Amino acid sequence: MPNEILLNAFSMNAVGHQSPGLWRHPRDRSGEFNRLPFWTELARTLEAGLFDGLFLADVLGIYDVYGASPDAALRHGTQVPANDPSLLVPAMAAVTKNLGFGVTSNLSYENAFPFARRMSTLDHLSEGRIGWNVVTGYLDSAARAAGLNKQRAHDDRYAVAEEYMDVVYSLWEGSWDDDAAVRDVARGVFTDPDRVRPAVYRGRHFFARRGASFRALAPAHAGDLPGGHIAGRPGLRGPPRRMRVHVGTKRDGAEASRRRYPARRRGRS
Amino acid sequence: MTALKPRVADIRLAAEAGRDPAAIKIFAMATVVTGPTDARRGSQACGLSALRQSRGALTLMSGWTGVDLSTFRLDDEVRHVETDAGRTAMENITRADPSRVWTVREVAQHVGIGGIGPVFVGSGRTVADLMEAWIAETGVDGFNLAYVVAPESFEDVVEHVVPELQRRGRYKRAYAPGTLREKLGGAGPRLPSSHPASGFRSPRAHAQAAE
């Protein structure tokens, strides 16, 4: 028996996505991207069709390579204007029970901590139905928007991304135990400090040291974010580097944590 | 298919180093133009094509590849150049199929509907045939379906393609319980211990996950 076929809808918080010019079609409503009913109705349609998820693309920059100018993109509505995809999710989650949501977020221009917290918030609010499309961007215009001259070289972007993943995993996996929020009314303890430890990560590009409150209020069944990107990037060829990276990081991270936070390890209450 | 098949194989091969290759779910981008009959959808596809904007398509492709396609003539061949933009779109049209040469005009026409992905046109049965053929040939698990006209493209898939896939036993009739990970076949709500990220768990969290 062959496997069941998985289906996502692929869209973007923008007018037009993969068919430039079709916004002129008399029945196209993608121009309503900035109104919630467009998205809540779409979410209901997809759930009625048992779609696995709605996968939302995103770009932070304008397509200004063609003609060395943003004019063509602006004139033809080529993925511009484009709003933040993640903010659509709570509204759509509120009108569905099972539909998944994949959100594209470019890790090149955002600190890992606020990003990880935002995704955790979406994980909680959607009750475990959020995924992350991990991307590093391809537009220099996005780098310029972030105050840089141009984006990092291609392979450097992926090296940074490897570390960024370590940082967010250390925040999501290494900080709070699932049962840390004991909510013990009798003892007056909301969170057991022994079940929380700082997420410590030290790498070439990042140094993270935060006590992050990501798991504490998650529904019992909410899990980590499924994520990944299907493009054929060179980093996927050959043996996966992550396996080796993570074996070392785990031990180093735990030792560093004990060295820096002895009091925290003993607890405070 | 030529571009996709080796990438799927690469991903599954890489996973073998520590994870179950089948646990990685791979969705290929595709665009569906469907309706009750092949003929009706065929004529509609022509109408949709008339609304394409070539310059918009080349604007996308220039952004994806980092190559300013406005500096070429429409009948020029697109040749491989390495830039610091994305790599996939350029690979697809220059290297994935050595027997195929793309002109700028052909790129504009292809990308104009459904971006760099394939377009499946026809009745629910025809589209289901195409989906099954793509899966059999490339090893993907499913599709990210882009739209041509929103939300109509998605409504058409729900009305015409989903019931046909269900008849063939190739599509669920109800959602599985649990989180998105569990619905997609994961053993539990959390990442499995074989995933590299589990290395960040505390000893206590490891013990809990093993329970």
Side-chain angles (χ1 to χ4, degrees), chain B residues 27-167:
Chain B
F27 296 72
M29 181 171 77
T31 299
V32 168
V33 180
T34 187
T37 64
D38 281 340
R40 199 155 138 205
R41 265 320 105 147
S43 67
Q44 177 165 356
C46 294
L48 296 172
S49 299
L51 286 172
R52 282 181 302 201
Q53 283 181 313
S54 292
R55 201 169 287 141
L58 294 178
T59 299
L60 282 179
M61 193 66 182
S62 298
W64 294 333
T65 60
V67 175
D68 180 359
L69 294 172
S70 77
T71 61
F72 294 77
R73 289 187 302 270
L74 282 174
D75 292 316
D76 285 349
E77 289 175 13
V78 180
R79 294 212 172 81
H80 189 273
V81 185
E82 195 156 281
T83 70
D84 277 327
R87 297 269 165 88
T88 312
M90 180 60 89
E91 289 277 337
N92 281 0
I93 58 163
T94 57
R95 287 181 169 173
D97 181 358
S99 66
R100 175 82 160 88
V101 174
W102 290 76
T103 65
V104 172
R105 187 192 311 277
E106 287 167 334
V107 168
Q109 285 169 351
H110 177 75
V111 170
I113 298 280
I116 200 76
V119 183
F120 302 155
V121 181
S123 66
R125 288 176 63 179
T126 302
V127 172
D129 285 346
L130 288 163
M131 285 183 171
E132 289 197 291
W134 271 71
I135 286 171
E137 175 64 23
T138 64
V140 298
D141 299 289
F143 299 94
N144 280 328
L145 297 180
Y147 65 86
V148 185
V149 174
E152 184 178 282
S153 297
F154 299 125
E155 293 163 353
D156 287 345
V157 171
V158 171
E159 186 178 346
H160 301 290
V161 181
V162 165
E164 178 60 27
L165 291 174
Q166 286 174 325
R167 270 192 286 279

Side-chain angles (χ1 to χ4, degrees), chain A residues 3 5 8 10 18 24 27-29 49-51 67 98 128 157 173 177-178 221 230 237 250, chain B residues 10 27 51 68 84 115 143 145 150 152 170-172 175 179-181 183 190-191 199-201 204:
Chain A
N3 291 334
I5 294 173
N8 285 334
F10 191 24
Q18 296 287 340
R24 297 173 297 161
R27 291 195 302 281
D28 184 72
R29 289 173 48 208
L50 303 176
F51 270 57
N98 290 286
R157 285 209 303 278
E173 293 287 339
D177 291 346
D178 282 352
H221 60 278
I230 58 170
R237 297 183 195 283
K250 173 190 163 191
Chain B
D10 279 355
F27 296 72
L51 286 172
D68 180 359
D84 277 327
F143 299 94
L145 297 180
E152 184 178 282
R170 298 299 305 266
Y171 198 76
K172 59 187 163 308
Y175 281 108
T179 62
L180 178 57
R181 182 187 308 289
K183 291 180 202 301
R190 300 284 299 274
L191 284 165
F200 289 100
R201 287 178 191 151
R204 189 167 177 278

